[in-house]
Amino acid sequence: MKSGGREKARAVVRAAAGIAVEVLMTALLMAVVFLAGWAILHWFRT
Amino acid sequence: MILRPRLRDIRIIGYQLGRIVVGVGLLMLLPLLTGLLFRETVPVLDYLIGMGACLSAGYLLRIVFHTREEPTWTHGLTVAALSWLAAALLSAIPLLLSGHFASYLDAFFEAMSGYATTGLSLAVDLDHLAHAHNMWRHFIMYVGGQGIIVVALTFLLRGSGAFTFYVGEARDERIFPNVRHTARFIWLVSLVYLALGASALFLAGLRLGLAPVRAFLHGLWIFMAAWDTGGFAPQSQNILYYHSFGYELITISVMFLGALNFKLHYAVWTGNRREIFRNIEVAVLCVSILFTFAVCAAGLSRLGVYPGAVALFRKGFYQVISGHVGTGYSTIYPRQFVREWGGLAMVAVIAAMAVGGCACSTAGGMKALRLGILFKALAQDIKRLLFPPSAVVLETFTWRSISRERGRGCSPDIRRSRRFSNRSRRQPTLGSPAGSRRFPCRPL
């Protein structure tokens, strides 16, 4: 594989990792925000 | 020029508008092919008529106003404004011919609602709309979310003057120095997520028991409307139709991803993953969602509408997220929202809708970035009051990674606020004695 091709492959792998991180972080952030909201609600109730 | 357009101006605007109108005609190829694939004869004819109208109007404009002159800023602004109007006017033709709209005005409303990603629909008997028409409605939304000019820049427009159209569409963020590369990157992100999101929704649909073709089409359409924070759906009951936890989880993720700044996508895709945590917009968005959800949950809890955590997530949290990013997808009946939710929860969802998503995204509202800048400016003002009068308070509106770029590539809102902050920073130092103390402040 030529160096240009290797560079492209590296960029694609980096982008794929970025997409995976984005999706996971989105799910995680949503879960954290929901649980924090739920905890605030319980704290107010008690 | 605006007050007294000359023939030269009209020629430039007419010629460039013709190019966009031809592009709108070419977009109709997708619903046309859908109609052919599903043997929907009448909708195929509708799209042939629509395409004929677009192509003849577009080529007529190009022939009548043919010119080789380059557009200026004012021409770009006028072409962008007229493109949206012309696109909605012409896109309404096949919708009107479908027979699912009471009048041309209703079809025009539907088309404009799609392009502007508003999501309001006036379709009669939406549940029995042909696949070709549903494809067109959702495709309009997908195109409108990215911007008609961005589409044209990616696939159609050549030559200089591209940036004038881009700015004319109220966008001046540039991810790359070349505006055409920026437009292509925006489409790359949207198409990659289209493949991922539509596949996930397809699998969720299959698991629900939908037929494979139906699961694929519904997945594709729901993704298009969720990513562009639009809100169109192929069923009148919206997301409630599916009664699926999986569908709800996927659409929440897609809506949130669609509300993120394209520059953030670029940063993460090119290896700068920590930007997710540093980005001021993501922080503001999360805090705002948390705050509005807490108020909404308190309102729902007071009335005892959803006692369990799962029900609260699927109903309360979903409506807050959907409202916050401006999608408008719903997992409850409209009557429930009006009669059962109560005033507090309703106000929380409305407040969430006002905030919106990130700048340079498909989301609406007043944008998280502006809210973040507003709060930081407020905090800086308070600090200035607390510190001695000779103190110079450094104002940082951006995170380290963006500050390091010295404003290049960052949002124009940040640049403008920085210019403003630089000016206000200099003023107190003019009359201050040499060697005045500085109180540098950390980024908030």
Side-chain angles (χ1 to χ4, degrees):
Chain A
M1 196 186 277
K2 286 178 187 172
S3 62
R6 205 173 293 149
E7 273 299 308
K8 269 187 188 171
R10 225 174 265 163
V12 169
V13 169
R14 205 181 297 136
I19 293 164
V21 168
E22 251 186 353
V23 173
L24 282 174
M25 280 301 122
T26 302
L28 192 71
L29 280 174
M30 290 296 100
V32 168
V33 169
F34 171 72
L35 290 174
W38 182 245
I40 290 169
L41 187 70
H42 269 270
W43 183 63
F44 268 112
R45 269 190 196 155
T46 49
Chain B
M1 180 262 155
I2 291 173
L3 294 175
R4 264 190 202 173
R6 288 173 293 160
L7 186 65
R8 178 184 154 269
D9 300 318
I10 294 170
R11 284 181 87 92
I12 295 170
I13 292 166
Y15 181 72
Q16 300 296 344
L17 187 65
R19 294 167 87 181
I20 306 271
V21 167
V22 168
V24 173
L26 294 177
L27 290 178
M28 286 187 194
L29 275 172
L30 185 66
L32 182 76
L33 290 174
T34 310
L36 285 171
L37 201 66
F38 292 99
R39 294 178 188 169
E40 296 170 334
T41 320
V42 180
V44 166
L45 288 174
D46 296 343
Y47 286 97
L48 281 175
I49 294 167
M51 269 185 85
C54 289
L55 295 180
S56 42
Y59 279 111
L60 193 71
L61 282 168
R62 289 183 70 170
I63 292 165
V64 171
F65 298 111
H66 188 266
T67 179
R68 286 188 185 279
E69 280 190 77
E70 292 298 335
T72 61
W73 295 103
T74 326
H75 297 136
L77 183 75
T78 316
V79 169
L82 290 176
S83 298
W84 282 76
L85 194 64
L89 282 167
L90 291 163
S91 302
I93 295 172
L95 293 176
L96 175 71
L97 295 173
S98 71
H100 283 265
F101 294 89
S103 65
Y104 178 75
L105 188 65
D106 285 10
F108 175 60
F109 180 92
E110 184 90 2
M112 191 54 102
S113 169
Y115 277 119
T117 66
T118 309
L120 295 171
S121 182
L122 287 178
V124 178
D125 195 15
L126 179 66
D127 298 328
H128 298 103
L129 208 60
H131 290 324
H133 293 309
N134 257 326
M135 182 64 86
W136 184 229
R137 288 173 68 238
H138 291 86
F139 191 49
I140 281 176
M141 192 160 260
Y142 193 58
V143 167
Q146 267 70 258
I148 296 170
I149 299 294
V150 173
V151 179
L153 283 174
T154 312
F155 304 107
L156 292 171
L157 295 180
R158 295 283 178 275
S160 60
F163 191 54
T164 60
F165 298 127
Y166 189 70
V167 174
E169 206 174 37
R171 287 167 180 267
D172 54 357
E173 299 93 348
R174 283 200 283 181
I175 300 167
F176 294 100
N178 186 325
V179 72
R180 209 167 288 129
H181 291 167
T182 302
R184 278 182 194 156
F185 179 76
I186 288 174
W187 268 97
L188 177 71
V189 173
S190 301
L191 289 173
V192 166
Y193 274 116
L194 174 75
L196 291 173
S199 306
L201 287 166
F202 167 64
L203 292 175
L206 281 182
R207 207 167 165 273
L208 268 177
L210 293 177
V213 174
R214 198 171 154 79
F216 171 74
L217 288 175
H218 279 232
L220 184 69
W221 296 333
I222 293 291
F223 173 84
M224 282 180 177
W227 170 259
D228 284 291
T229 58
F232 274 173
Q235 301 293 146
S236 55
Q237 283 188 341
N238 214 271
I239 299 298
L240 181 66
Y241 171 80
Y242 304 100
H243 284 287
S244 161
F245 192 38
Y247 242 77
E248 288 158 22
L249 281 177
I250 296 165
T251 47
I252 281 182
S253 303
V254 171
M255 287 189 288
F256 189 80
L257 284 166
L260 293 180
N261 197 320
F262 279 105
K263 273 177 202 160
L264 181 64
H265 288 296
Y266 177 74
V268 177
W269 284 30
T270 49
N272 187 5
R273 277 159 221 147
R274 287 166 71 187
E275 191 61 34
I276 291 185
F277 302 106
R278 286 179 186 159
N279 194 280
I280 181 175
E281 288 186 283
V282 177
V284 171
L285 208 56
C286 287
V287 170
S288 174
I289 291 170
L290 174 63
F291 178 73
T292 47
F293 172 63
V295 175
C296 176
L300 291 172
S301 167
R302 200 162 54 96
L303 297 172
V305 186
Y306 306 115
V310 175
L312 189 68
F313 179 84
R314 292 186 63 177
K315 306 294 177 185
F317 192 67
Y318 193 93
Q319 313 319 306
V320 169
I321 292 281
S322 174
H324 207 296
V325 298
T327 311
Y329 270 162
S330 176
T331 52
I332 53 167
Y333 290 103
R335 271 169 183 253
Q336 263 180 310
F337 186 61
V338 176
R339 293 191 174 171
E340 290 179 17
W341 269 47
L344 192 61
M346 215 181 270
V347 164
V349 174
I350 292 166
M353 285 160 77
V355 177
C358 298
C360 192
S361 74
T362 62
M366 63 181 173
K367 314 283 186 190
L369 181 66
R370 288 183 189 126
L371 206 66
I373 289 172
L374 191 75
F375 276 104
K376 282 201 165 192
L378 198 69
Q380 294 291 344
D381 280 346
I382 293 167
K383 276 180 189 166
R384 214 176 282 140
L385 287 172
L386 293 174
F387 289 150
S390 60
V392 177
V393 180
L394 290 180
E395 294 168 356
T396 312
F397 285 93
T398 60
W399 292 96
R400 200 159 42 124
S401 56
I402 299 174
S403 305
R404 223 183 276 147
E405 293 173 25
R406 297 187 180 191
R408 277 177 293 155
C410 67
S411 168
D413 285 315
I414 293 176
R415 284 202 299 271
R416 266 177 229 126
S417 60
R418 183 177 290 162
R419 279 200 290 274
F420 172 75
S421 68
N422 285 344
R423 235 176 285 142
S424 60
R425 193 169 59 199
R426 259 181 246 127
Q427 278 163 1
T429 58
L430 284 172
S432 60
S436 62
R437 287 167 63 197
R438 289 164 65 96
F439 290 84
C441 302
R442 277 190 306 109
L444 289 177

